[in-house]
Amino acid sequence: MQKSYKLEGLDCASCADKIEKSVQKIHGVEKARVDFMAEKMTLEVESGQDLEVENEARAVIGKLEPDVKVISLKDVKEEEGRNPNKNRLIRIIIAFVLFLALIIIKPSNNWVALASYLVVYVLIGGDIVKRAVTNIFRGEVFDENFLMSVATIGAFFIGEYPEAVAVMLFYQVGEWFQSAAVDQSRKSIAKLMDIRPDSANLLVNGQIKAVAPDTIEIGQQILVKPGEKVPLDGQIIDGSSMVDTSALTGESVPRTVKVGDEILGGFINKNGALTINVTKKFGDSTVSKILDLVENASSKKAPAENFISKFARYYTPVVVVLAILLAVIPPFIFPDTSINEWVYRALTFLVISCPCALVISVPLSFFGGIGGASKLGVLIKGSNYLEILANTETIVFDKTGTLTKGNFVVQNITSVVLPEEELLRLTATAEQLSTHPIAISIKESYGKETVPATAIEEVAGHGIKATIEGKTVLVGNAKLMKQFGIEAPEVKEAGTLIFVAIDNQFAGYLVIADQLKPDAISAIKELKAEGVKQTVMLTGDNQQVAEAIAKEVGVDKVYAELLPDGKVDRLEELLKASSPKNKVAFVGDGMNDAPVLARADVGIAMGGLGSDAAIEAADVVIMNDEPSRIASAIKLSRKTLRIVKQNIIFAIAVKIIVLVLGALGLASMQAAVFADVGVTIIAVLNAMRCLRVEKMKIITKP
């Protein structure tokens, strides 16, 4: 059984790790996962133990992080509007006023000064000290609460009362700003993904009944009024309207929908009432899958995130040991110096050592990158895939439905004995019972009623034989002509050739071809401009057609006439030929692409019209089916990686500089607080740039 909770007020990445480890130890918990960025805790609980586990988890979290409120996800709506940062801000203001008063008054009596500063210290830092003590008893020693408590209490012992209070006050101010920045980033993500429908208008015997979307079954009908979100996937059976698809596809221009069109949950109906026949349950709907993808994306960590977690685990204890050595050894080497001076330097060392800037800003950068991508209509299932995208240098495409629209059209008619319109009429009449995509394209091209055909006979793998108005009509490939002894010309045109013979005489041929997507050519150009070194196309289509498409769009290599296992074999060859740093992406849309999508370093699926199997197997989903969005996603992923590297270099460089200055006695505790909290705030603000995609170049349709 899986249970999910919102951890409101969780503004510390290391706190999230502590909660996860502690809750994991509770009896009855099979697996615990705490997602700091999403403020979400997911528990896999043994059957029948959910209530006991929930109560114990609440108690554990209450001891570890008293400010964190555990809310069942079903109750989240009721808690909206609550500001967990408000109490901290009130305490900061009161403490600052009292501290300022003490600085002005300057108590002359030492005991009065100690008592006064202690009152302010307990007000502003009592929760930090309490948490540090609790964590020590739980085996969690080297965290920011411990470091700040030891440093400031140590300052009291050496008589630096104002310094101790000032450091704790500045630390709390920095924590407040840090929490506000993280919260703002989370709100930006939540706003982008505000597509969850609150209710649905179910039609029952002509009456409208407001119900929860997850209670509606396939085949039932719903009414979507102007201004409402479409709650479920379905087909429009009455009405027409403009719909806003931006939350799913990133498209800013509304789309017109009418009777017969498919519509996805998450679209916003703009101006006309729509009656929709539901085709998917809520759990299987597009909106549900997107919400699940985005909410769980940050649980799949990038290598850079895992590195920072390990770095912080070893870095802090090492710095604590160095601080102890700094306090103990120098007084013996330099007997003329004061012990208090070295203790002060050691305490400064401790304040600097907290790795908050790295632990928070790195995952926040990836979280922002994933949110920014969703704004472009690109869903990335984890920050690890974001990092792989940034290192992608080879992109392999499927053809049909990926670079092309997947809808065949009659591109050319060549007739030798009849008018072209008559040849098309006879061909459409012969194909009238067929459901093959090519047959459908011929009938759509004719667009008129056909006369009945008799003696329709399908010649397996070759075509159709039929009697139309007393004439024997053959429609099919060159093999069909050869089988009946009819000589057909050799045609060099790219596309599927449909030969026609009437009464055993060759009458002409039709060229059927798939249409390129409007942005296919520009998509390949933009990918190459972004540094993608090689583009490849794998297709089951014939060699001639494949080469013509590849040449038109500008793909470097093409492999045609491949079965699904053949596509996997070709991809394996490309993977072996690439270097470890050169990642290979595969882009596809069909069910037969699922094995290749799963095998690639990163699989990219066309999500608007793509099959569920392809979307499930993929790591990245393009919601509007435009291949040009791949270049935008790569550009964003590289921007995200640059910001991550900037934060790592900046945070480590500042800490090393201030650590050295602190050891030499040239940096005060206030400078140490800046090296900790100030750097964290700057890094968090820099990380929030990952959400900004408005100025990013997105290819427009030519």
Side-chain angles (χ1 to χ4, degrees), residues 572-590:
E572 290 282 2
E573 292 173 10
L574 292 167
L575 288 167
K576 288 177 183 177
S578 62
S579 64
K581 290 185 178 180
N582 175 14
K583 301 301 181 183
V584 179
F586 179 80
V587 190
D589 74 309

Side-chain angles (χ1 to χ4, degrees), residues 34-255:
V34 175
D35 188 337
F36 164 63
M37 297 315 308
E39 285 185 297
K40 182 179 177 183
M41 177 175 70
T42 305
L43 305 180
E44 291 183 14
V45 185
E46 292 178 8
S47 181
Q49 305 244 353
D50 52 314
L51 187 58
E52 293 84 350
V53 165
E54 179 177 327
N55 291 334
E56 192 170 346
R58 289 179 184 274
V60 167
I61 294 169
K63 289 179 182 177
L64 285 174
E65 297 294 327
D67 293 336
V68 173
K69 186 168 184 180
V70 183
I71 310 169
S72 177
L73 283 186
K74 65 181 180 181
D75 301 323
V76 168
K77 279 282 180 185
E78 298 172 11
E79 296 290 331
E80 282 182 355
R82 183 177 176 271
N83 186 359
N85 236 5
K86 188 176 179 180
N87 291 339
R88 176 184 278 170
L89 181 60
I90 292 171
R91 282 194 297 120
I92 288 172
I93 293 171
I94 295 172
F96 177 75
V97 172
L98 294 175
F99 176 66
L100 199 61
L102 286 173
I103 294 296
I104 295 170
I105 295 170
K106 294 181 181 177
S108 55
N109 185 289
N110 187 59
W111 290 105
V112 172
L114 174 61
S116 301
Y117 280 111
L118 268 177
V119 169
V120 182
Y121 179 82
V122 170
L123 174 64
I124 193 64
D127 58 329
I128 302 293
V129 176
K130 180 183 176 183
R131 210 173 297 157
V133 173
T134 303
N135 290 346
I136 289 171
F137 282 110
R138 299 188 70 89
E140 299 286 345
V141 179
F142 299 111
D143 64 2
E144 69 278 8
N145 300 300
F146 170 80
L147 297 172
M148 292 304 303
S149 298
V150 171
T152 50
I153 291 171
F156 267 103
F157 273 105
I158 62 175
E160 298 286 348
Y161 311 147
E163 190 94 352
V165 174
V167 167
M168 189 62 82
L169 182 61
F170 294 155
Y171 175 75
Q172 289 281 36
V173 169
E175 288 289 292
W176 183 86
F177 275 112
Q178 172 187 299
S179 178
V182 171
D183 187 52
Q184 182 59 43
S185 178
R186 285 171 173 154
K187 285 179 180 177
S188 298
I189 299 285
K191 187 177 180 182
L192 293 177
M193 297 312 300
D194 185 24
I195 57 176
R196 187 187 299 276
D198 299 322
S199 65
N201 301 318
L202 180 64
L203 292 173
V204 182
N205 298 324
Q207 300 296 315
I208 298 175
K209 183 179 180 183
V211 299
D214 55 6
T215 63
I216 295 177
E217 299 292 329
I218 294 172
Q220 291 186 305
Q221 295 177 5
I222 56 174
L223 177 69
V224 182
K225 301 173 185 177
E228 292 183 340
K229 294 173 189 170
V230 178
L232 296 152
D233 295 2
Q235 186 175 42
I236 299 171
I237 57 175
D238 186 40
S240 63
S241 180
M242 300 286 285
V243 290
D244 179 355
T245 69
S246 58
L248 270 67
T249 68
E251 291 289 346
S252 57
V253 180
R255 182 189 302 176

Side-chain angles (χ1 to χ4, degrees), residues 3 5 7 10 12-44 53 56-65 68 70 135 138 140 296 298-301 305-306 309 313:
K3 302 276 285 183
Y5 304 87
L7 301 182
L10 182 65
C12 161
S14 59
C15 306
D17 289 336
K18 284 186 291 187
I19 291 173
E20 184 176 290
K21 290 175 185 175
S22 299
V23 173
Q24 182 71 64
K25 297 174 184 176
I26 296 174
H27 177 71
V29 175
E30 295 176 348
K31 186 178 180 181
R33 188 176 76 243
V34 175
D35 188 337
F36 164 63
M37 297 315 308
E39 285 185 297
K40 182 179 177 183
M41 177 175 70
T42 305
L43 305 180
E44 291 183 14
V53 165
E56 192 170 346
R58 289 179 184 274
V60 167
I61 294 169
K63 289 179 182 177
L64 285 174
E65 297 294 327
V68 173
V70 183
N135 290 346
R138 299 188 70 89
E140 299 286 345
N296 294 305
S298 56
S299 64
K300 297 174 182 175
K301 298 184 183 297
E305 290 179 274
N306 292 324
S309 298
R313 198 174 301 144

Side-chain angles (χ1 to χ4, degrees), residues 314-543:
Y314 297 107
Y315 159 81
T316 306
V318 168
V319 174
V320 170
V321 171
L322 290 175
I324 294 171
L325 295 176
L326 184 63
V328 174
I329 295 176
F332 292 101
I333 300 174
F334 307 103
D336 294 336
T337 57
S338 165
I339 293 177
N340 282 4
E341 180 184 339
W342 290 105
V343 169
Y344 181 85
R345 294 186 188 185
L347 295 174
T348 303
F349 215 73
L350 285 179
V351 175
I352 301 166
S353 68
C354 185
C356 291
L358 295 173
V359 172
I360 292 177
S361 67
V362 171
L364 183 59
S365 299
F366 283 108
F367 193 61
I370 290 170
S374 69
K375 196 172 184 180
L376 295 174
V378 180
L379 299 182
I380 300 174
K381 295 185 181 181
S383 51
N384 52 334
Y385 303 122
L386 194 73
E387 189 162 343
I388 293 171
L389 263 182
N391 296 317
T392 297
E393 294 184 0
T394 300
I395 298 187
V396 184
F397 293 90
D398 170 50
K399 181 180 76 69
T400 306
T402 303
L403 292 174
T404 65
K405 292 182 177 179
N407 56 334
F408 294 90
V409 294
V410 177
Q411 300 229 339
N412 184 29
I413 301 173
T414 300
S415 180
V416 295
V417 294
L418 297 170
E420 291 180 359
E421 179 72 14
E422 180 64 12
L423 184 71
L424 179 61
R425 183 183 76 84
L426 291 172
T427 307
T429 303
E431 297 276 17
Q432 63 184 268
L433 300 180
S434 176
T435 57
H436 191 281
I438 289 177
I440 292 171
S441 70
I442 293 171
K443 288 182 282 186
E444 288 179 348
S445 181
Y446 180 58
K448 300 174 185 176
E449 289 290 329
T450 56
V451 298
T454 59
I456 297 176
E457 178 187 343
E458 184 173 347
V459 183
H462 292 8
I464 289 174
K465 178 183 178 183
T467 300
I468 303 171
E469 297 171 340
K471 301 173 183 176
T472 301
V473 179
L474 297 172
V475 175
N477 55 26
K479 293 178 181 177
L480 181 69
M481 299 294 109
K482 187 177 181 180
Q483 181 176 331
F484 284 87
I486 299 167
E487 188 175 343
E490 186 176 341
V491 181
K492 296 288 188 180
E493 293 186 53
T496 301
L497 299 175
I498 303 297
F499 293 101
V500 183
I502 302 172
D503 291 334
N504 288 329
Q505 294 293 318
F506 180 74
Y509 63 88
L510 285 68
V511 180
I512 314 294
D514 198 355
Q515 289 181 300
L516 277 181
K517 288 186 176 178
D519 65 333
I521 296 173
S522 55
I524 301 298
K525 288 180 180 177
E526 184 72 6
L527 286 170
K528 290 181 178 179
E530 279 300 310
V532 173
K533 294 180 179 177
Q534 182 177 224
T535 53
V536 182
M537 188 171 77
L538 306 181
T539 178
D541 212 336
N542 70 66
Q543 189 72 35

